Amino acid sequence: REIQESELQKFYSRLVKLLQAKELSHETVDSLQRLHLILSATKYTRTLPPELQKRVLSLLSSPSEQLQVLGSAVLRETLPLSGQELNYNQENAGQLNSHAAALLLSQARSTDDLSSLCAQLLRSLESRQSDGSAHSLTHALPVLNTVLTHSPECLTEDHVTLLSKKLVDWLRYASITQGGCASSGGFFTGPRSRQPVPTAELDGTVSGDFFTVLCVGQSFTEDQWMNVYSFSMLRHWLLTYHSVSNGNTTGDTDDRSEVDGSVVSMVSATSSSSRLLPPKERLREKAFQYCQRLIEQSDRKAHKKTDADLQKACLVEAVCILDCVCVEDASLVFRTFPCIKALFGRLSSDLSFARVLLPIAQFYLNHGEMAAVDCECVWRLVFGRFPSELFNDPFLAHELLRFLRLNLESLQLRVPQYVRSFPNLLKLLAWDSPALIDDFVDLLPSLVTAGTAVELLHTLLDLPCLSATLVLQHRSASLPITESGSRGLLSLDAFRSPSFRGLFLFLLRGEAGSGDTIDRLSTLHELLAEAADWPRAVQCAQTVPVLLHIFFNTAITVADEKLLAHLILVMLERSSLLLNIPKYVTETHRVFSCHLLKFCKLHPSLVVDQSHELLEFAGATANVYSKEEIYTHVVWVLGEYLSVSCDSRCSVKLITSCFEALEAVLFEITSSAPPPGAVCPAPRVVTTLMSALAKLASRSHDLIPRVSLFLSKLRTVTRGGSVAWCSDEDDLVAIVTRGEELWSLLKTPGVAQSVLTPPQHVMTPRWHRDTNVATPLRLRALTNLTQSQ
């Protein structure tokens, strides 16, 4: 950026001289790289000198791809000189390659420019190419595909018609003989060409039908390359060509251009009655035939592993294309389903074809109902064996979750196995949490129903245990059983032990409905204690609080009051039954606390319904030290919602029993030092207990003397300085101050009740918003008087 203009001009001149040389040196390449850096480092678009611009432009047709890349990169950073834009036409068709194409697209200033470029490319595809420029055809389709991706409106209906016709020719009527380079060449190769050699199948037999991407040979002709390119863009074309402009249309049924262009088209004109179809329908028909042939070719035994992988990739694409074709034309479903069903029967037992089976599942989901076929076996495979046996395949996990996200609504409506399969699906997350958390954030709400909520909550809380169990399962399969006396993982021995097998099998279950949780959870946590620092278990534990928030937010929308009460019981129970991973327990308690408040605020009667369990939890002094977060919130909801105004069933006896339980805990923690190994109770716990007692006493005035006596004693005890149950002086002052406030309020019970338990119309006032009353004006006046300007 600090280069002076004079220095820059000298650099331009030196680079022009370097580019004039017959052979470009390493210095030229270095200079071009430096030029690109200079141009890209400034926020302004520079203009190169005309001579340099011309020289760099000529690099696009260089035989060296490195120079093509550099030339294209440099020109994309500059403004084209007037009249020197890179225009694609028949004269410079030989320049077209992927890098020149990138420059062409970057120089297009408007939709009209892109549309003009498409028209020129299509004209070049329509005419028969000379040998010198034939190579440019293979770059024309990728350019058109890019335009279709970013600006489909640039293509007109005429463009669609023409390209559909060309795709039909290339897909169905490419040459079935190998190219002219089939000869091994050599010193004695004469001008006479060898006899045409037919292409072969992947198993070595001679190809007996039309050419496809799965045909092999020593070299390929131009139309064979176009066949491969056409197949690679066919699905995208079928999905997108509906978005093109509707203007400038010509008759779709006019198919004469196909019989005028080439010998290949002459063959196509007499080969089938499908020629009478409009171009789009004819393309669908030929795509159907092409994919049927690919499926037949995939049944052949390939000699090379790379060819076998190619077969799988082509199967995926072929099934996806057939799905697109059937979506457009429902009449093809009945012709296609026998083939797809046979393919599924052939591949379903081999999980190495799992990524092929997912598009087949998509086909069944889209068209199974119309064809009235039984899809049960497909869903058993997708939701059963896939996550259960291939949970450690990251590519399959990504594609399976993508399939679920794309079809979420259909799966919820038409596939009951989906919701029941969450124990299996969560194995993917348990194995690779960082990569898949985003997918499950989107999927989890669809798994929360009134029937699955309780079991799903337990499963989420056991996710770190599941992660550790999957690690043990993986190790158990790959490691030999250790001899007695040798050093090994205790958890691995437990995993292999028949006495604990039931615990691990429950975690590894494939479907919901076999029970909510494990009876011996504490035993399981002891067996997996050493997994607390395993990376997979730790990463999995970090994702659980996020998922719990999503779970509870969804549960509120689908659950009735009875189910919410059950979820509260699960929170209280599981607060002490979690795998001991640092921060995991604390974060989970924080989530429980947050949503306990939401549940009780939404349905205050839950506190009366679950008063026994809540009191049992709040009356356990040990919870003050081990579960500070959730304990504080349980005490708060008891004090806040255990009131006749919230539930008419709230009796004096219930208020008194709650008061006595909380009073006992508060007296115990403020009269002695914490137990060995525990820290002092948090000031928030003490003040929350005092506030809850004061609220309960304000509703039953017989209890006021008891809480007042305690508060007065608290003030007397703390006058002597520090106490054993509070180590921080500031915290002690805050506790005493809160106690004095409550004590002062309780001196006048009527005021105490209105302050500590205000009626609902006071809790949610609108006076400060209502412009029809004088309160807003008074509030503003008092604010102006009390606050300095």
Side-chain angles (χ1 to χ4, degrees):
R1 292 178 181 176
E2 297 176 357
I3 294 177
Q4 300 297 320
E5 187 64 27
S6 59
E7 184 181 355
L8 194 58
Q9 292 300 326
K10 291 179 181 178
F11 175 68
Y12 288 159
S13 301
R14 187 164 59 87
L15 185 54
V16 169
K17 293 179 180 178
L18 290 172
L19 291 172
Q20 288 174 343
K22 291 183 179 180
E23 294 185 2
L24 302 183
S25 61
H26 291 295
E27 184 182 359
T28 307
V29 174
D30 292 340
S31 297
L32 286 169
Q33 290 173 339
R34 187 182 174 204
L35 176 61
H36 179 249
L37 179 62
I38 292 171
L39 295 172
S40 59
T42 178
K43 62 182 179 181
Y44 303 107
T45 304
R46 297 180 183 271
T47 302
L48 295 180
E51 182 64 22
L52 180 58
Q53 184 102 356
K54 180 181 177 183
R55 295 287 178 183
V56 174
L57 195 61
S58 65
L59 294 177
L60 295 177
S61 54
S62 169
S64 168
E65 187 172 6
Q66 183 183 22
L67 294 175
Q68 293 175 16
V69 171
L70 283 172
S72 177
V74 166
L75 291 171
R76 273 182 284 168
E77 297 290 341
T78 65
L79 288 172
L81 298 177
S82 178
Q84 287 200 1
E85 293 87 351
L86 180 65
N87 293 315
Y88 177 75
N89 50 46
Q90 290 302 111
E91 286 71 27
N92 62 6
Q95 290 186 14
L96 188 63
N97 52 50
S98 57
H99 309 295
L103 182 59
L104 271 170
L105 295 176
S106 69
Q107 286 186 349
R109 301 187 195 89
S110 64
T111 303
D112 292 339
D113 286 353
L114 281 177
S115 186
S116 174
L117 171 62
C118 292
Q120 292 172 354
L121 288 169
L122 287 167
R123 277 197 296 271
S124 68
L125 293 176
E126 201 174 10
S127 60
R128 191 161 181 82
Q129 300 292 314
S130 62
D131 292 340
S133 60
H135 179 66
S136 66
L137 277 183
T138 58
H139 298 285
L141 278 184
V143 176
L144 289 168
N145 200 34
T146 303
V147 173
L148 186 68
T149 302
H150 299 290
S151 300
E153 68 277 3
C154 296
L155 291 172
T156 66
E157 194 68 28
D158 285 346
H159 294 158
V160 172
T161 300
L162 176 58
L163 190 52
S164 296
K165 293 174 181 178
K166 297 304 296 183
L167 289 174
V168 166
D169 273 354
W170 289 321
L171 285 171
R172 185 61 179 84
Y173 305 109
S175 171
I176 59 171
T177 60
Q178 298 186 34
C181 299
S183 170
S184 59
F187 198 70
F188 298 102
T189 301
R192 294 183 179 180
S193 60
R194 301 178 60 187
Q195 291 294 323
V197 179
T199 56
E201 304 288 349
L202 293 181
D203 60 359
T205 60
V206 174
S207 179
D209 208 334
F210 61 89
F211 181 87
T212 71
V213 67
L214 287 180
C215 295
V216 294
Q218 292 185 5
S219 65
F220 295 115
T221 61
E222 179 69 20
D223 60 344
Q224 289 169 350
W225 278 115
M226 296 308 290
N227 178 284
V228 175
Y229 275 63
S230 300
F231 175 67
S232 69
M233 72 169 286
L234 179 58
R235 176 157 59 117
H236 186 215
W237 179 252
L238 292 172
L239 288 171
T240 320
Y241 67 19
H242 306 289
S243 306
V244 303
S245 169
N246 291 323
N248 303 323
T249 58
T250 57
D252 269 359
T253 55
D254 181 14
D255 222 16
R256 287 174 297 175
S257 61
E258 288 193 10
V259 299
D260 296 336
S262 64
V263 176
V264 171
S265 293
M266 291 296 290
V267 175
S268 71
T270 57
S271 61
S272 170
S273 61
S274 68
R275 176 185 168 274
L276 302 176
L277 295 171
K280 287 183 180 180
E281 283 77 355
R282 188 156 190 255
L283 178 60
R284 285 199 290 268
E285 177 66 28
K286 298 307 177 184
F288 172 79
Q289 295 175 10
Y290 193 97
C291 293
Q292 293 270 49
R293 168 138 164 78
L294 282 180
I295 292 172
E296 180 272 326
Q297 286 179 294
S298 68
D299 197 21
R300 297 175 180 270
K301 180 71 174 176
H303 293 317
K304 300 177 183 177
K305 182 182 181 303
T306 53
D307 289 342
D309 293 338
L310 177 63
Q311 281 179 318
K312 292 179 183 178
C314 289
L315 272 178
V316 170
E317 192 69 10
V319 175
C320 289
I321 290 171
L322 287 174
D323 185 38
C324 294
V325 165
C326 290
V327 167
E328 288 192 14
D329 186 355
S331 65
L332 289 172
V333 171
F334 302 99
R335 295 172 58 192
T336 307
F337 235 114
C339 172
I340 296 295
K341 189 175 181 180
L343 182 64
F344 176 78
R346 175 161 60 89
L347 303 181
S348 58
S349 59
D350 187 354
L351 289 184
S352 66
F353 285 93
R355 296 176 72 186
V356 181
L357 291 164
L358 275 179
I360 295 177
Q362 181 73 66
F363 192 92
Y364 270 81
L365 182 64
N366 290 346
H367 311 291
E369 191 172 340
M370 174 183 288
V373 296
D374 182 17
C375 305
E376 180 76 21
C377 55
V378 178
W379 306 130
R380 279 203 306 269
L381 188 69
V382 171
F383 297 121
R385 293 187 65 193
F386 279 8
S388 180
E389 300 180 36
L390 301 175
F391 59 86
N392 58 340
D393 184 340
F395 297 106
L396 177 67
H398 168 74
E399 293 187 9
L400 175 57
L401 294 174
R402 181 174 178 271
F403 166 77
L404 298 181
R405 292 174 67 177
L406 291 175
N407 301 283
L408 196 52
E409 188 175 344
S410 297
L411 290 169
Q412 288 178 277
L413 291 174
R414 294 157 49 191
V415 185
Q417 295 92 331
Y418 166 66
V419 174
R420 298 200 306 266
S421 68
F422 66 81
N424 243 359
L425 295 176
L426 286 171
K427 291 176 185 176
L428 303 172
L429 180 68
W431 182 260
D432 194 7
S433 299
L436 305 180
I437 180 63
D438 288 344
D439 295 291
F440 277 91
V441 165
D442 292 338
L443 291 175
L444 186 61
S446 65
L447 299 171
V448 183
T449 66
T452 64
V454 175
E455 185 177 353
L456 180 56
L457 176 55
H458 281 293
T459 307
L460 290 175
L461 295 172
D462 289 332
L463 213 53
C465 297
L466 176 59
S467 179
T469 303
L470 291 174
V471 172
L472 293 175
Q473 183 185 37
H474 193 62
R475 290 184 179 181
S476 180
S478 58
L479 296 177
I481 299 177
T482 55
E483 298 177 2
S484 59
S486 64
R487 186 177 178 182
L489 290 172
L490 297 177
S491 53
L492 187 58
D493 295 336
F495 179 79
R496 288 168 169 166
S497 170
S499 56
F500 301 119
R501 190 64 178 161
L503 298 177
F504 294 105
L505 285 178
F506 180 81
L507 286 176
L508 295 172
R509 69 194 185 281
E511 202 172 60
S514 55
D516 292 340
T517 184
I518 303 172
D519 293 333
R520 296 185 293 163
L521 261 178
S522 55
T523 303
L524 178 67
H525 293 159
E526 290 173 8
L527 296 175
L528 295 175
E530 61 188 344
D533 58 353
W534 292 356
R536 288 193 190 277
V538 172
Q539 289 178 336
C540 184
Q542 291 170 352
T543 66
V544 171
V546 177
L547 298 175
L548 287 177
H549 275 301
I550 296 169
F551 169 83
F552 286 122
N553 287 333
T554 308
I556 285 180
T557 64
V558 302
D560 56 12
E561 197 167 337
K562 183 180 178 181
L563 179 55
L564 292 179
H566 197 165
L567 294 178
I568 289 176
L569 295 183
V570 173
M571 287 192 274
L572 297 178
E573 175 194 6
R574 291 303 304 267
S575 62
S576 57
L577 290 172
L578 298 169
L579 189 62
N580 189 21
I581 294 178
K583 295 185 180 180
Y584 170 58
V585 176
T586 305
E587 290 297 321
T588 303
H589 286 175
R590 184 172 289 117
V591 177
F592 283 174
S593 305
C594 169
H595 292 282
L596 175 67
L597 294 184
K598 288 185 177 181
F599 287 2
C600 294
K601 185 176 182 180
L602 184 65
H603 299 287
S605 58
L606 285 171
V607 179
V608 176
D609 290 336
Q610 305 304 315
S611 57
H612 176 74
E613 289 78 10
L614 291 170
L615 281 177
E616 186 179 355
F617 184 88
T621 308
N623 291 338
V624 173
Y625 302 101
S626 61
K627 306 170 187 174
E628 173 204 331
E629 187 76 27
I630 189 170
Y631 183 85
T632 304
H633 288 78
V634 168
V635 170
W636 190 88
V637 297
L638 284 170
E640 186 71 14
Y641 298 115
L642 209 58
S643 168
V644 178
S645 61
C646 295
D647 194 315
S648 59
R649 297 172 298 165
C650 184
S651 62
V652 174
K653 181 180 178 181
L654 182 57
I655 291 176
T656 303
S657 63
C658 180
F659 181 92
E660 290 174 348
L662 299 183
E663 181 187 40
V665 173
L666 182 58
F667 179 79
E668 185 175 348
I669 65 175
T670 57
S671 60
S672 61
V679 296
C680 295
R684 185 174 61 154
V685 176
V686 179
T687 55
T688 304
L689 279 166
M690 292 192 307
S691 299
L693 290 174
K695 290 176 182 178
L696 294 171
S698 70
R699 297 165 200 158
S700 179
H701 293 176
D702 293 342
L703 302 173
I704 290 179
R706 293 170 62 172
V707 69
S708 297
L709 179 62
F710 173 82
L711 294 173
S712 62
K713 282 184 177 181
L714 179 67
R715 183 175 56 175
T716 305
V717 169
T718 55
R719 282 176 181 170
S722 61
V723 292
W725 49 271
C726 186
S727 57
D728 188 276
E729 185 176 348
D730 292 338
D731 291 341
L732 188 59
V733 171
I735 293 171
V736 172
T737 303
R738 179 61 174 161
E740 290 179 345
E741 292 172 353
L742 295 171
W743 183 60
S744 300
L745 274 175
L746 292 171
K747 285 180 180 180
T748 51
V751 174
Q753 185 168 6
S754 63
V755 171
L756 297 174
T757 314
Q760 190 65 29
H761 70 275
V762 176
M763 290 291 288
T764 56
R766 292 184 52 84
W767 300 330
H768 63 290
R769 300 192 191 99
D770 195 345
T771 57
N772 295 321
V773 297
T775 303
L777 180 61
R778 291 177 182 177
L779 285 173
R780 285 193 295 271
L782 288 172
T783 302
N784 291 333
L785 289 172
T786 55
Q787 291 184 355
S788 59
Q789 297 297 322

